[in-house]
Amino acid sequence: MSVLLADPHVVRLAAPRPGTPKWTWVPRVDDHGVDQLDGVRIWSDYVADAVRIRSETDCFGTRTDPDGGVLWHRAGTLAELVDGLLELPAPGTHGAPALVIGRAPTLWTPGQGAGR
């Protein structure tokens, strides 16, 4: 899995672009090394793009608004995910998704009452 850190698709996604926030990457490590790579970038209006890469064929990405509304999502191969994210217009620009199509899951914490 550690090969994903240097995968050309990940490198292409992480490449700096003018006017685009940088990605923050968090490798998830188990006893055998990196088993998952998570990434997030936060835009100036607090819209967030996030990815979860488990293998070259098991990837998921979302764009959420500041309230956790899902604006865009894609599951599939690493190539499909990266292509989708690179084609996605910046938030607030022409063609950028703005309609909430779902809700991001929330984390239940003690003291919130009944579980969801």
Side-chain angles (χ1 to χ4, degrees), residues 10 12-26 38-52 61-66 72 81-91 97:
V10 175
R12 188 166 56 109
L13 182 62
R17 288 174 182 73
T20 302
K22 292 173 60 174
W23 284 91
T24 300
W25 297 99
V26 179
D38 294 338
V40 65
R41 67 178 172 187
I42 309 294
W43 296 83
S44 60
D45 58 357
Y46 300 105
V47 168
D49 295 334
V51 298
R52 171 160 289 163
T62 62
R63 175 171 284 177
T64 55
D65 68 15
W72 175 92
L81 177 64
V82 170
D83 288 344
L85 282 162
L86 292 177
E87 294 168 0
L88 200 57

Side-chain angles (χ1 to χ4, degrees), residues 31-116:
D31 293 339
H32 306 287
V34 176
D35 74 336
Q36 178 174 298
L37 182 62
D38 294 338
V40 65
R41 67 178 172 187
I42 309 294
W43 296 83
S44 60
D45 58 357
Y46 300 105
V47 168
D49 295 334
V51 298
R52 171 160 289 163
I53 303 167
R54 291 190 173 138
S55 72
E56 291 186 25
T57 59
D58 184 6
C59 302
F60 183 76
T62 62
R63 175 171 284 177
T64 55
D65 68 15
D67 298 319
V70 176
L71 303 172
W72 175 92
H73 64 89
R74 169 121 355 136
T77 67
L78 181 54
E80 292 166 339
L81 177 64
V82 170
D83 288 344
L85 282 162
L86 292 177
E87 294 168 0
L88 200 57
T93 64
H94 178 73
L99 180 65
V100 173
I101 58 174
R103 303 290 314 157
T106 57
L107 176 64
W108 177 86
T109 57
Q112 284 184 318
R116 295 181 183 180

